[in-house]
Amino acid sequence: MGTKRGYTFIQANRAWLPKFLLLWVMVMAFLSTWIYKKMDADNKVRRKELLSSMCEQRARMLQDQFSVGVNHVHALAILVSTFHYYKDPSAIDQETFAEYTARTSFERSLLSGVAYAEGVKHSERERFERQHGWTIKTMKWEPSPIRDEYAPVIFSQETVSYIESLDMMSGEEDRENILRARATGKAVLTSPFRLLGSHHLGVVLTFPVYKSKLPSKPTVDERIEATAGYLGGAFDVESLVENLLGQLAGNQAILVNVYDITNSSDHLIMYGHQNQDGDLALLHKSNLDFGDPFRKHQMICRYHEKAPTSWTALTTAFLFFVICLLVGYILYGAAIHIVKVEDDFHEMQELMVRAEAADVAKSQFLATVSHEIRTPMNGILGMLALLLDTDLSSTQRDYAQTAQVCGKALITLINEVLDRAKIEAGKLELETVPFDLRSILDDVLSLFSEKSRNKGLELAVFVSDKVPEMVMGDPGRFRQIITNLVGNSVKFTERGHIFVKVHVPENPKPLDDAKTETCLNGGLDEGSLISGGRQVNTLSGYEAADERNSWDSFQHLIAAEALQDDASVKMKVADEASQSVTLMVSVEDTGIGIPLIAQDRVFTPFMQADSSTSRNYGGTGIGLSITKCLVELMGGQISFISRPQVGSTFSFTTVFGRCKKASLSDTKKANAEDLPSGFRGLKAIVVDGKPVRAAVTRYHLKRLGILVEVANNVKIAASACWENGSSCRSKIQPDVVLVEKDSWLSGEDGSLSLRMLDWKQNGHMFKLPKLILLATNITNAKLEKAKAAGFADTTIMKPLRASMVAACLQQVLGTGKRQPGKGMLNGSSVLGGLLCGKKILVVDDNMVNRRVAAGALKKFGAAVECAESGKAALKLLQLPHSFDACFMDVQMPEMDGFEATRRIRMMENQANEQMNGDTEKGSVGKDEWHLPILAMTADVIHATYDECLKCGMDGYVSKPFEEENLYHAVAKFFETKPVSDS
Amino acid sequence: MMGLVADRLRADANRLLAFLFNQGILDEQFLQLQQLRDESSPNFVSEVVNIHFHESEKLLRNLRSLLMDREFSGYNKMGIHLNQFMGSSSSIGAKRIRNACFAFRAASEQNSRAGCLRALELLEHDYCFLKNKLHELFQIQQQRVLAAGARYPMQN
């Protein structure tokens, strides 16, 4: 499990995801149910509270209203006792009572009517009946039977006048009431019953009326004694409650019942319907106190309707559930998505790894295949070369030559592909060796001179003086870059020029200044508008894509250089202090340019500007991409400016190391083709109308040490000479006059003046300056003409190269003999010089190898001895010995090269120590023993090299000997340690 | 007439060399070897090559005996022999033999006896082939020298 790549939590639990979702949904459902229940319960509590408050409110109001009624009846009772009994005669009769009660009935809104019944004993009945003129009747309007007591109504309110003369005692309820009221002396209520007259339910209130004042704490008997009658009032409870409820809000919502619960087992209903349906689940009971302690009343309220379903709660819960469901689903979806994306990612990663592997494999395959093709190609080419050496008919020769050319092209292509593959595989390593940039540029130019001459192109190189003579870098790759760029330019240019310029991009600002300056006053004074087209100050006069190479800035560059030359040595010192130097190289041509649409992909491999390019010009389009890679490997950048039909300028920067002074002298001899120094101090005049070209010529001459002056045309040159001639000899007397072909042609009349000049000078007995014509291409006729015109001495064909110019000058001036053997300084002769007379030991177990090595070394003039094993070598190298160097095979049986070297070094150390001891004692010191030992090995990978150095070897040569390798390895010892003991 | 013979011989030698190169039997090292020939040792190449053949025969014999050994365990020793073989053949530029040695060594590193035997047979075959061809070449060259020697007075 540990090997699995970093899965996230989600990825690890992917199987659980649906279960998680289900769990979530369930939990959420539970939660929303709970929420619903909670809200519903809240609602219920609120409903209950509302009900109880409403019920209480109603109960209190009812009670208050009731007690108001009771109080008033009480007041009436007191009124009756006061005015009926205490006054004599009575101040109240039926009329008064009726009027009074009618007028105060608003006070007793709840009472349907009040009446006063006098207590009459049976003994008094007759008197009473006589007095009033009517007989006492029962409730049923019948003459009352005989009883102990009667309570006939004597005063009554008009509303209940029908009860006058009725004996209240005859009604069961009333009688009980009367008795109780008499006993307690308080207001007393009946149980509810249907009232007479109206058929509403009602209760009757009864108050006792006393005929005399009672003692402060009367007994029951005293009360009964004092009682004169009874004041009664009928409460119409039904209408009372109806009125009351009608006044209150929310009347419709609740259902009110009022009960008399004196008898707790049998509740008597006072108001409301016994079996009215309503919300039976919820009811509220409120006790009512109507002032009669004997009777208990109760109000029961309930809602009319059942509790409505709580939509809010339901909606809330439902919405909550839905939201949670959605959230859950979103999370689930996200998790699923994450899982999917991660899966895809892993898949992609795998694919990427495979793609990368495929890419590497491709590069390796390319490298291998290119290599494998190269090997037989070498065979083919070698054999073709051999074939061409044989006697062939012209047709056969033609065929063979064609084959050879094709083979060479193929191998170039293969090399390029190999390079490309190597770079892609990151296997290309750059060397760091000192080399002369100028000579490389000259070489490249000479490579293309033939082609450019055929096309009539100006091909020139200019290297700024600030560029160090020797730089550290990879000359091969640098040459490759230049060759690529120049090759492209040559390929795509039909007219005009190709100009390679190298300088140190140090201060771009003055350049700008110069530019603006020339913008201000540029063009006019030189009269650059020549009939036909715009004449541009470039090498050939054709317009170039990048104006930076035009004379304006170029001039400035040269001027700046001159300044710097003059300035001081400090600058140079400062320059050399830095370890590296950045060079700006530009290759300018006036070719067909690159179409704008194709400019983006110029550096893409196998992309040419368009498909017709390869048809017209050939090539694979790999060159520029390799160039770009190489430039980047060298720590630079490449860019280009191109204008279709005008030309392109490729410029790139590279970083080279500076050469250390010490090693400079060594390597220079080996690497650089040496320019003859015999021209130092010569003077020359260059006649050229084009300043850039003149500058290039001057640069080459300067390299030879020739002092140069530039003249714009022949006349000026002539006059310069003339002045020199006429004035005293302090002025410069030119040894050579180099005339550009164009200048000569444009000023053909000038040839006359030249002639004249010659004459003049002859007349003055001056040495005649040599006349040299510089030409790109020249027809034979023209050449004849030129010879006739005085250029008898020689014609230098462009492109100019310092060495070629030197050769021509040698020829002209006859200075060639001054440097004998200069040109011999390379190749085997150098090795010969190095190894000549040296005694060398070759140690190899392989007889063949031994023989070959010995043969090779002998060829260079060394005296060779051989040893076939490490042990034999040790024996031979017992100190003191006379060997100058030892070549040691690394792989040998018994004792390998490393071991043998270690032992040799040990021996030497011992000897040296001893010797040091001796020298202290005063004997003459000799050099320490240190035999240069070079490893011979078939594989030259670095690990082996490191091991070689570790065990005390001084270097290595790869096994089939190659002269160059051998030279490099050996040169170190025989040069830096000059002739110590020979 | 003699010039024609010399030319024919040269052409023959070139053709043979071309063939050897073409087949990948020899490589550039052989040409380098030829350049080492000078006045002091005109037969340098054939000398070296003969040494090589001598050594090679010894090595081949050893290799075969090692492989034929019943309790075969000499892979290490075989490697040493092969290294030597490779060294000398690359010195004279016998490319195909060197490649055969590579294959042989690879087989021996894998401890595959069958592979070793196959490689050995291939090696022996290549070796014989090269030996015959080189002998042929040297013969031609010898004749050329003779022809040149015969031609010499005619030029003057």
Side-chain angles (χ1 to χ4, degrees), chain A residues 116-304:
Chain A
Y116 175 69
E118 197 173 46
V120 177
K121 301 253 167 49
H122 188 64
S123 54
E124 294 168 11
R125 179 176 173 172
E126 256 175 272
R127 187 189 54 85
F128 179 80
E129 279 182 348
R130 237 182 300 121
Q131 186 185 343
H132 284 277
W134 38 260
T135 54
I136 297 170
K137 296 180 194 93
T138 62
M139 287 288 189
K140 288 165 181 131
W141 279 280
E142 288 157 5
S144 172
I146 295 164
R147 292 173 186 252
D148 288 350
E149 280 179 283
Y150 308 96
V153 173
I154 52 169
F155 304 138
S156 63
Q157 202 178 337
E158 261 175 308
T159 50
V160 289
S161 54
Y162 52 87
I163 61 165
E164 198 172 322
S165 77
L166 291 187
D167 177 13
M168 285 298 132
M169 289 286 223
S170 64
E172 188 65 24
E173 317 265 328
D174 294 290
R175 180 188 163 80
E176 201 182 306
N177 238 21
I178 286 166
L179 291 180
R180 214 150 43 86
R182 203 169 60 181
T184 58
K186 286 186 178 158
V188 176
L189 291 172
T190 60
S191 59
F193 61 95
R194 300 256 160 219
L195 292 177
L196 286 174
S198 74
H199 286 282
H200 291 162
L201 277 174
V203 288
V204 173
L205 173 80
T206 312
F207 261 103
V209 176
Y210 302 106
K211 54 183 174 241
S212 58
K213 284 193 178 111
L214 287 171
S216 59
K217 279 197 177 162
T219 61
V220 175
D221 288 340
E222 276 172 343
R223 280 181 195 280
I224 294 168
E225 196 60 38
T227 302
Y230 319 95
L231 193 70
F235 275 100
D236 183 348
V237 177
E238 206 163 344
S239 55
L240 164 73
V241 175
E242 207 86 56
N243 278 344
L244 191 70
L245 295 184
Q247 287 166 24
L248 288 169
N251 189 22
Q252 267 72 38
I254 60 172
L255 195 65
V256 177
N257 283 340
V258 181
Y259 294 96
D260 182 332
I261 53 161
T262 313
N263 183 353
S264 60
S265 61
D266 180 23
H267 292 181
L268 297 172
I269 191 154
M270 280 172 75
Y271 169 76
H273 304 282
Q274 187 70 51
N275 296 316
Q276 201 168 16
D277 49 342
D279 186 5
L280 295 174
L282 191 65
L283 53 84
H284 185 82
K285 296 177 183 172
S286 309
N287 288 322
L288 293 170
D289 179 14
F290 288 147
D292 180 359
F294 179 73
R295 295 217 168 261
K296 289 195 181 93
H297 296 93
Q298 195 178 43
M299 180 184 266
I300 292 179
C301 304
R302 48 165 67 92
Y303 281 104
H304 248 301

Side-chain angles (χ1 to χ4, degrees), chain A residues 10-41:
Chain A
I10 293 171
Q11 185 76 331
N13 296 309
R14 55 194 305 174
W16 285 89
L17 286 179
K19 286 171 194 166
F20 275 137
L21 181 65
L22 200 67
L23 187 69
W24 171 265
V25 168
M26 277 160 69
V27 166
M28 285 310 131
F30 177 75
L31 214 65
S32 41
T33 327
W34 179 78
I35 286 173
Y36 171 72
K37 288 223 171 107
K38 176 118 170 48
M39 287 183 79
D40 202 35

Side-chain angles (χ1 to χ4, degrees), chain A residues 590-667:
Chain A
T590 54
I592 57 167
I594 302 165
L596 288 175
I597 40 162
Q599 290 194 358
D600 296 338
R601 46 170 209 262
V602 159
F603 293 117
T604 322
F606 305 109
M607 281 285 192
Q608 278 186 333
D610 57 69
S611 54
S612 67
T613 309
S614 60
R615 203 161 51 236
N616 292 338
Y617 299 97
T620 51
I622 199 175
L624 277 177
S625 88
I626 290 174
T627 305
K628 185 175 159 65
C629 290
L630 288 175
V631 167
E632 276 161 9
L633 273 175
M634 286 178 162
Q637 286 162 329
I638 188 163
S639 64
F640 67 93
I641 296 174
S642 180
R643 287 194 309 195
Q645 303 312 322
V646 171
S648 328
T649 303
F650 282 82
S651 36
F652 67 92
T653 56
T654 57
V655 180
F656 287 124
R658 273 180 200 281
C659 232
K660 286 189 197 77
K661 279 258 160 103
S663 57
L664 210 136
S665 55
D666 295 348
T667 45

